[in-house]
Amino acid sequence: MSSAPVTIRPVQTKKDRKAFVDLAWEVYKNDPAWVPPLKDEVHGLITPGKNPWFEHAKAQFWLAECGGKVVGRISAQVDELVQQHMQPGTGNWGMFEVLDGEAAAALIATAEDWLREQSMKRALGPISLSIWDEPGLEIEGFDEPPTAIVAQHRPAYQGWSEGAGYKKDKDPITYELDISNWADPMINRLIALGERNPRIRIRMVDKSRFDEEARLILNLLNDAWSSNWGYVPLTEAEIAYAGKKLKPIIFAELVRIAEVDGEPVAFMLTIPDINELIKDLNGELFPFNFIKLLWRLRKPRTRRLRVPLMGVAKKLHGSRLASQLAFMMIEYTRRDATTKYGATHGEFGWILEDNKGMLSIAQLPGAAINHRYRIYEKDFTAG
């Protein structure tokens, strides 16, 4: 890098937004594990009017430049729902990509200054942009390509974040499991008991009623996760937006809903590892790559599947029935995943490291942590 000073400027123009998104290609150009995201998806995430998150939140984006070259980016955001459901005065920063430590320090300081101007008392980061998008900084698992909807970061980011005064708040983790050879006698007995219980029904999602099913699942999610650390409810607009984005990668055999006495009380959303299908597209869908992707999505066969979302109604938390329903959904999905989709491995996550209920389910026989992320905190009032 040249000896020119680092300058930070806000993203203002269409050209700036393009530079903001495209920087990742420079940062990870020599990383064989990196999977280029679809650029349209990233642009949609950061654009008011496209992402309904902006209906209850605001964000500012910056670029770091040195010698006329973009060398870093960051966002800072204030969400009204975070103020209501987490600690008031909590702001976030994220979308963090940078080439060197000097630019990293300048970007984080700029984001903090903006958050203070918004009367925030502390910062949590990186979170890009919502806790439902990409929470945390990767600190373990750099050599393994990330699965769908999971961030990848440079190892240096940890030191640069901690050098700016940030301390660990929570670690979200993911577990990987060989699903082709998984079996456990005790869990199998629990599943068999559930199968003999006439009150229990485990069904596939009905894609012919997609909007209704998506709303059912995401409302169950709001209920199931409402006591979790970091929980912020999804609005009706966000539920509709999430359903629209997820629809192309939803396959009936991979999404299960558990009913007890006819009432939906649990769900498990499993998706193919779309990163295996898009890695060679270099982030571009047009002019012809969208045809490739549509073809691949007709009947995807990926080595890995990911369970990004799973939940059991709050009223069943801590019960034996909750575990029974979870293991039944896992086993039914596993059977179809291996026989119909050719998958050999599954990934659960994110799961907070102190979420004992979810850990008891994710820590299946043979499961191991394959990625660890960290959400950092800095108290602006300390000292």
Side-chain angles (χ1 to χ4, degrees):
M1 186 170 169
S2 72
S3 57
V6 172
T7 59
I8 309 296
R9 62 180 182 85
V11 170
Q12 295 177 316
T13 66
K14 186 176 180 180
K15 183 179 178 181
D16 290 342
R17 285 182 176 273
K18 183 178 186 303
F20 187 92
V21 172
D22 290 352
L23 175 65
W25 274 253
E26 175 67 19
V27 171
Y28 296 103
K29 64 183 180 181
N30 295 319
D31 186 343
W34 184 61
V35 179
L38 295 176
K39 291 182 181 181
D40 280 357
E41 290 286 319
V42 186
H43 277 285
L45 176 70
I46 65 174
T47 303
K50 291 187 176 180
N51 182 354
W53 174 83
F54 285 96
E55 294 173 5
H56 54 80
K58 58 183 176 180
Q60 179 62 59
F61 305 95
W62 293 271
L63 294 170
E65 292 183 339
C66 184
K69 177 185 176 183
V70 175
V71 295
R73 75 182 196 195
I74 201 168
S75 70
Q77 54 266 17
V78 174
D79 186 338
E80 293 174 9
L81 294 181
V82 168
Q83 309 311 304
Q84 296 171 22
H85 294 270
M86 295 183 68
Q87 183 177 322
T90 298
N92 303 126
W93 55 266
M95 306 298 294
F96 183 59
E97 300 289 1
V98 65
L99 292 173
D100 72 273
E102 181 185 356
L107 285 165
I108 293 173
T110 300
E112 289 177 348
D113 287 344
W114 185 86
L115 290 174
R116 290 188 183 96
E117 290 171 3
Q118 309 303 312
S119 301
M120 296 297 102
K121 305 300 182 186
R122 67 169 186 153
L124 291 180
I127 294 174
S128 310
L129 292 168
S130 156
I131 199 79
W132 296 107
D133 295 317
E134 291 181 356
L137 181 72
E138 184 179 28
I139 61 171
E140 293 177 15
F142 301 102
D143 294 336
E144 181 183 41
T147 53
I149 327 176
V150 176
Q152 185 169 356
H153 299 115
R154 297 178 62 198
Y157 291 1
Q158 181 177 2
W160 294 339
S161 300
E162 293 172 4
Y166 282 82
K167 307 295 184 183
K168 170 185 170 178
D169 194 329
K170 294 287 183 178
D171 279 6
I173 54 182
T174 63
Y175 282 85
E176 188 172 58
L177 171 71
D178 181 345
I179 61 173
S180 61
N181 298 302
W182 173 67
D184 181 85
M186 186 164 60
I187 293 175
N188 287 345
R189 284 196 297 272
L190 192 63
I191 293 170
L193 284 171
E195 291 175 332
R196 293 196 294 270
N197 186 340
R199 299 176 59 206
I200 294 175
R201 179 191 179 209
I202 309 294
R203 67 174 178 86
M204 298 180 192
V205 72
D206 183 352
K207 285 199 73 173
S208 71
R209 300 186 296 117
F210 182 82
D211 291 346
E212 182 183 341
E213 294 279 67
R215 191 172 295 108
L216 185 156
I217 287 171
L218 292 168
N219 282 325
L220 258 178
L221 175 70
N222 269 340
D223 174 67
W225 287 35
S226 60
S227 298
N228 286 4
W229 178 94
Y231 167 76
V232 175
L234 289 165
T235 66
E236 284 298 316
E238 288 175 302
I239 287 172
Y241 180 67
K244 183 178 178 181
K245 288 179 66 176
L246 287 169
K247 189 172 184 178
I249 57 174
I250 294 297
F251 299 89
E253 300 94 338
L254 301 181
V255 183
R256 304 283 168 160
I257 296 171
E259 299 176 350
V260 175
D261 296 329
E263 178 190 359
V265 293
F267 76 94
M268 187 173 83
L269 172 65
T270 306
I271 58 175
D273 181 12
I274 302 303
N275 281 358
E276 295 178 31
L277 306 181
I278 69 169
K279 186 167 186 176
D280 64 336
L281 304 185
N282 198 34
E284 303 286 357
L285 282 179
F286 301 98
F288 302 116
N289 282 345
F290 80 97
I291 299 174
K292 288 183 183 178
L293 184 56
L294 286 174
W295 179 258
R296 294 169 183 176
L297 286 172
R298 288 178 69 247
K299 189 65 182 291
R301 295 184 71 84
T302 59
R303 184 183 75 87
R304 296 187 297 183
L305 299 174
R306 180 169 179 242
V307 180
L309 296 173
M310 183 178 190
V312 179
K314 190 174 179 179
K315 64 183 181 181
L316 296 181
H317 284 189
S319 69
R320 183 173 181 271
L321 178 58
S323 297
Q324 187 172 45
L325 297 175
F327 288 128
M328 291 176 75
M329 291 189 294
I330 290 170
E331 174 57 13
Y332 291 4
T333 303
R334 185 197 71 83
R335 293 172 190 171
D336 283 335
T338 54
T339 58
K340 298 180 181 179
Y341 292 86
T344 58
H345 289 75
E347 182 179 276
F348 289 82
W350 304 274
I351 301 170
L352 290 175
E353 61 179 344
D354 55 1
N355 186 336
K356 295 179 180 178
M358 283 305 301
L359 289 176
S360 68
I361 294 168
Q363 292 170 341
L364 296 164
I369 295 173
N370 63 329
H371 291 280
R372 181 180 293 271
Y373 298 82
R374 181 154 294 168
I375 297 174
Y376 286 100
E377 177 187 17
K378 185 174 183 179
D379 184 352
F380 295 156
T381 65

